[in-house]
Amino acid sequence: MPKPYSFPLDFITGHVDMSHGGGGKAMAQLITELFTQHFDNTWLQQQNDQAVLTLPPGRVAISTDSHVISPLFFPGGDIGSLAVHGTVNDVAMSGAKPLYITAGFIIEEGFPLAELKRIVISMANAAVQAGTPIVTGDTKVVESGKADGVFITTTGIGVIPDGVHISGDQAQPGCAVLVSGSIGDHGVAVMASRENLTFQTRILSDSAALNGLVADMVAVAPTALRCLRDPTRGGLATSLNELANQSGVGIVINEAPLPIKAEVKAACEILGLDPLYVANEGKLVCVCDANAADALLTVMRNHPLGRDAALIGEVIADPHHFVQMNTAFGGRRIVDWPVGEQLPRIC
Amino acid sequence: MPKPYSFPLDFITGHVDMSHGGGGKAMAQLITELFTQHFDNTWLQQQNDQAVLTLPPGRVAISTDSHVISPLFFPGGDIGSLAVHGTVNDVAMSGAKPLYITAGFIIEEGFPLAELKRIVISMANAAVQAGTPIVTGDTKVVESGKADGVFITTTGIGVIPDGVHISGDQAQPGCAVLVSGSIGDHGVAVMASRENLTFQTRILSDSAALNGLVADMVAVAPTALRCLRDPTRGGLATSLNELANQSGVGIVINEAPLPIKAEVKAACEILGLDPLYVANEGKLVCVCDANAADALLTVMRNHPLGRDAALIGEVIADPHHFVQMNTAFGGRRIVDWPVGEQLPRIC
């Protein structure tokens, strides 16, 4: 496409202005020099308002997440990588192989083009790693003070292997409950960064695409996998309560085997947080037939993102659909839904 | 699902607060009592983080648009109906039959629940009319002053009939250029509402889902249809320039047959706008083989959304890819890309 404008964008000192969302020359330039450049793929190069894809046969999983995290850059990631990981993971939690992503940007007037470029490159890298090209998108600009830097909404689409039926309503008494690794890393990393807390060991977000891990789990136990969920906002406690409610069961977990990094535990004490309620962006909770738990734990621990996978509890019959925890001290307590907002804008 | 909370939301005097985006009880309540209630469908009721769909065989079209229109309610529509129409239309412009929609909401803390409900109901009605259920979504809340009421990002997915190959790069010299009706209605309705202008005839946005019209056009001329585009931001002038650039051709349109309502023309004069650059949300421009133009115009005029369809020009060979207009006074002028932003936040 011949460029309908003359000067390249200034990605060092330039800023986004209202014209970049106006549909004219300036927007075409931003799309060509930034988005198409870095999200480089044949669908975007077609420059249509939609992407045309060929999907393999099978049931299709689709998921959308709007990302409003603050700050935009945090230890272990940024809003760009997070927007890919969050949506890839939501698609993968159906057992699907995520295939494509779309992205809608809402940008505040005056946002530095250098930061936008950093976000777009990070997003592009995350998409390549996850194997999910960003095939179409949209850019809107709102006046200064009407947004907060950048918001990114991503939609992911994937195809579910035949015979796989993973859903939040499939947990049954007797099932095992597994987590793929340490909990609370993402929320604590973001909070520590907001509060300017420093620890001896730097706490990094666990933000990562879990589709490879899920594919390994599906391969070893295609029918024994019942529920998968990534415990993001509201943390593990919320995901377990959701699953208990959807399936009409109770869940009992054990505190002792629950993987929590020492530095995350320490930071939670300082910040007054309960790690059970702190967001994760690279972990999953899995409910499976009890006899498949060992095989699943083995493949999970063989995957870089499941090295600390653990059996943490079991599903029980419970008309109240409570989530309970056997504490390290020998007691048992209810792990309730969070009522309000422990950590605003964590994803 | 048993309700994990006690009191119904107050949709008369209540407001959205940060907890409604927190992933806990308050968010579950907002989803159950508002979104699932009005977007009523089996996919949402499954309460998973993704929807699982069965698509008919064929190539899949997918499109995403973020909507940031101001004001949220305007003559002839609101951000909810617009978010459905905009995305349904982008999918339909590939010739696809749009099938499903996803929605990501970014809501400003303090936003009245009554207005949110009005938007959600409008969105639900638009989705029913378009035949595209809203199957999954996400809700985020940001602090007061960090957004502007509500932003809605929708993604649409559809399937393209076999043998249909509509794309912006398919225009060839000799092709005819059609529009489906009067131009500029949406942008002028929104601007008049912003500026509190009143005219003898109230100007309404043309916001509408064009998938029915496109289906009729595809049925009568499946292979003669070459390009379809909905001239939103930047108006007809921008869409024509995009098509000329993508296809590597020139386009010449005629001012005389261009359908523009008298009141829109008058408002444009008062507001200092050129209707060629004003946004539409229920119109399409079509490039087709010249010998199919009459048949297409006939089916378009038989559809309620194409009653004023007109042949407005033709595609020519032009190494500069210019769009030109034969004016009503007998001259010819270049219809250039808009450089900046004529009407910010029009969609």
Side-chain angles (χ1 to χ4, degrees):
Chain A
M1 170 173 169
K3 294 188 181 177
Y5 41 81
S6 315
F7 304 106
L9 279 169
D10 176 359
F11 284 111
I12 296 166
T13 63
H15 295 82
V16 172
D17 62 46
M18 295 303 291
S19 73
H20 291 117
K25 269 189 197 182
M27 193 173 89
Q29 182 178 19
L30 184 70
I31 291 171
T32 309
E33 294 184 17
L34 185 62
F35 297 111
T36 312
Q37 167 87 15
H38 295 288
F39 295 158
D40 184 36
N41 62 64
T42 50
W43 297 278
L44 277 182
Q45 280 153 15
Q46 284 165 11
Q47 299 170 45
N48 288 321
D49 287 341
Q50 73 293 120
V52 176
L53 314 167
T54 310
L55 293 183
R59 286 161 303 143
V60 171
I62 187 165
S63 187
T64 288
D65 256 355
S66 292
H67 298 86
V68 299
I69 191 165
S70 171
L72 296 171
F73 301 92
F74 51 83
D78 57 62
I79 192 171
S81 52
L82 182 71
V84 171
H85 296 154
T87 287
V88 163
N89 292 348
D90 278 344
V91 172
M93 294 305 129
S94 67
K97 176 179 161 65
L99 296 168
Y100 302 103
I101 287 182
T102 74
F105 290 79
I106 297 172
I107 310 173
E108 185 184 7
E109 178 189 21
F111 190 70
L113 280 168
E115 290 190 26
L116 186 61
K117 182 177 175 180
R118 208 176 133 198
I119 289 166
V120 166
I121 289 175
S122 162
M123 211 172 163
N125 290 338
V128 167
Q129 273 180 30
T132 51
I134 298 167
V135 293
T136 188
D138 182 44
T139 308
K140 293 280 161 39
V141 180
V142 297
E143 303 87 342
S144 177
K146 301 294 188 185
D148 193 14
V150 180
F151 301 142
I152 305 177
T153 302
T154 41
T155 299
I157 181 169
V159 171
I160 303 174
D162 268 355
V164 172
H165 293 277
I166 296 168
S167 174
D169 59 3
Q170 298 295 305
Q172 292 203 342
C175 282
V177 180
L178 319 177
V179 288
S180 64
S182 63
I183 61 167
D185 301 12
H186 174 73
V188 166
V190 173
M191 283 306 284
S193 149
R194 273 190 213 161
E195 309 287 332
N196 273 318
L197 291 179
T198 47
F199 302 94
Q200 263 198 317
T201 314
R202 192 157 176 249
I203 301 170
L204 297 180
S205 165
D206 59 348
S207 183
L210 295 169
N211 48 335
L213 175 64
V214 170
D216 288 356
M217 294 170 70
V218 166
V220 77
T223 56
L225 273 175
R226 291 174 165 271
C227 320
L228 288 175
R229 193 146 298 182
D230 53 335
T232 56
R233 272 183 293 182
L236 183 63
T238 301
S239 289
L240 293 174
N241 271 286
E242 287 173 1
L243 297 176
N245 258 297
Q246 274 181 261
S247 293
V249 296
I251 294 176
V252 179
I253 60 169
N254 301 305
E255 189 171 14
L258 209 59
I260 308 178
K261 288 180 181 154
E263 57 268 32
V264 169
K265 211 174 266 182
C268 279
E269 275 168 25
I270 293 168
L271 294 163
L273 301 172
D274 180 343
L276 282 174
Y277 294 89
V278 175
N280 311 275
E281 290 290 346
K283 298 290 152 39
L284 60 83
V285 54
C286 160
V287 176
C288 65
D289 293 346
N291 58 16
D294 282 345
L296 279 167
L297 281 172
T298 302
V299 294
M300 289 166 83
R301 288 173 182 156
N302 281 334
H303 191 282
L305 296 175
R307 236 174 283 152
D308 300 319
L311 171 70
I312 59 161
E314 63 170 336
V315 178
I316 61 168
D318 176 357
H320 302 294
H321 314 151
F322 283 148
V323 175
Q324 301 178 74
M325 182 165 77
N326 295 320
T327 66
F329 303 107
R332 184 180 271 201
R333 69 171 174 93
I334 300 276
V335 178
D336 202 1
W337 290 78
V339 175
E341 173 58 299
Q342 196 181 222
L343 296 173
R345 299 185 58 191
I346 205 72
C347 59
Chain B
M1 169 173 172
K3 293 187 183 178
Y5 42 79
S6 316
F7 304 105
L9 278 170
D10 177 358
F11 284 110
I12 297 165
T13 63
H15 294 83
V16 172
D17 63 45
M18 294 304 290
S19 73
H20 290 117
K25 270 189 197 182
M27 194 173 88
Q29 183 178 19
L30 185 70
I31 291 171
T32 309
E33 295 184 16
L34 184 61
F35 296 111
T36 312
Q37 167 86 16
H38 295 288
F39 295 157
D40 185 36
N41 62 63
T42 50
W43 297 276
L44 276 182
Q45 281 153 17
Q46 285 167 7
Q47 300 169 45
N48 288 322
D49 287 339
Q50 72 294 121
V52 176
L53 315 166
T54 311
L55 293 184
R59 286 163 302 144
V60 170
I62 188 165
S63 186
T64 288
D65 255 355
S66 292
H67 298 86
V68 299
I69 191 164
S70 173
L72 296 171
F73 302 93
F74 51 83
D78 56 62
I79 192 171
S81 52
L82 182 70
V84 171
H85 296 155
T87 288
V88 163
N89 292 349
D90 277 344
V91 172
M93 294 306 129
S94 66
K97 175 179 160 66
L99 296 168
Y100 302 103
I101 287 181
T102 74
F105 289 79
I106 298 172
I107 311 173
E108 186 183 7
E109 178 188 20
F111 191 68
L113 280 168
E115 289 190 27
L116 186 60
K117 182 176 174 179
R118 208 176 134 198
I119 289 166
V120 166
I121 290 175
S122 162
M123 211 172 162
N125 290 339
V128 167
Q129 274 181 28
T132 51
I134 298 166
V135 293
T136 189
D138 182 46
T139 308
K140 292 281 161 37
V141 180
V142 297
E143 303 88 341
S144 177
K146 300 294 188 185
D148 193 14
V150 181
F151 301 141
I152 305 176
T153 302
T154 42
T155 299
I157 180 169
V159 171
I160 303 174
D162 269 355
V164 172
H165 293 278
I166 296 168
S167 174
D169 59 3
Q170 298 294 307
Q172 291 202 343
C175 283
V177 180
L178 319 177
V179 287
S180 63
S182 63
I183 62 167
D185 301 12
H186 174 72
V188 165
V190 173
M191 283 306 284
S193 149
R194 273 190 213 161
E195 309 286 333
N196 273 317
L197 291 180
T198 48
F199 302 93
Q200 264 200 316
T201 313
R202 193 158 175 246
I203 300 170
L204 298 180
S205 165
D206 58 349
S207 183
L210 296 169
N211 48 335
L213 176 63
V214 170
D216 289 356
M217 294 170 70
V218 167
V220 78
T223 56
L225 272 175
R226 293 176 164 268
C227 321
L228 287 175
R229 192 145 297 181
D230 53 337
T232 57
R233 272 183 293 183
L236 183 65
T238 301
S239 289
L240 293 174
N241 272 286
E242 286 172 3
L243 297 176
N245 258 298
Q246 274 181 262
S247 294
V249 296
I251 293 177
V252 180
I253 61 170
N254 301 305
E255 189 171 15
L258 209 59
I260 307 177
K261 288 179 180 155
E263 57 269 32
V264 169
K265 211 174 268 183
C268 280
E269 275 167 26
I270 293 167
L271 293 163
L273 301 172
D274 181 342
L276 282 175
Y277 293 89
V278 175
N280 312 275
E281 290 290 346
K283 298 291 152 39
L284 60 81
V285 54
C286 160
V287 175
C288 65
D289 293 346
N291 58 15
D294 282 344
L296 279 167
L297 281 171
T298 302
V299 294
M300 290 166 83
R301 288 173 182 156
N302 281 334
H303 191 282
L305 296 175
R307 236 174 283 153
D308 300 319
L311 171 70
I312 60 161
E314 63 170 336
V315 178
I316 60 168
D318 176 359
H320 303 293
H321 315 151
F322 283 148
V323 176
Q324 301 177 74
M325 183 165 78
N326 295 319
T327 67
F329 303 107
R332 185 180 269 202
R333 70 171 172 94
I334 299 277
V335 178
D336 203 0
W337 290 78
V339 175
E341 173 58 299
Q342 197 180 221
L343 295 173
R345 299 185 58 189
I346 205 73
C347 60

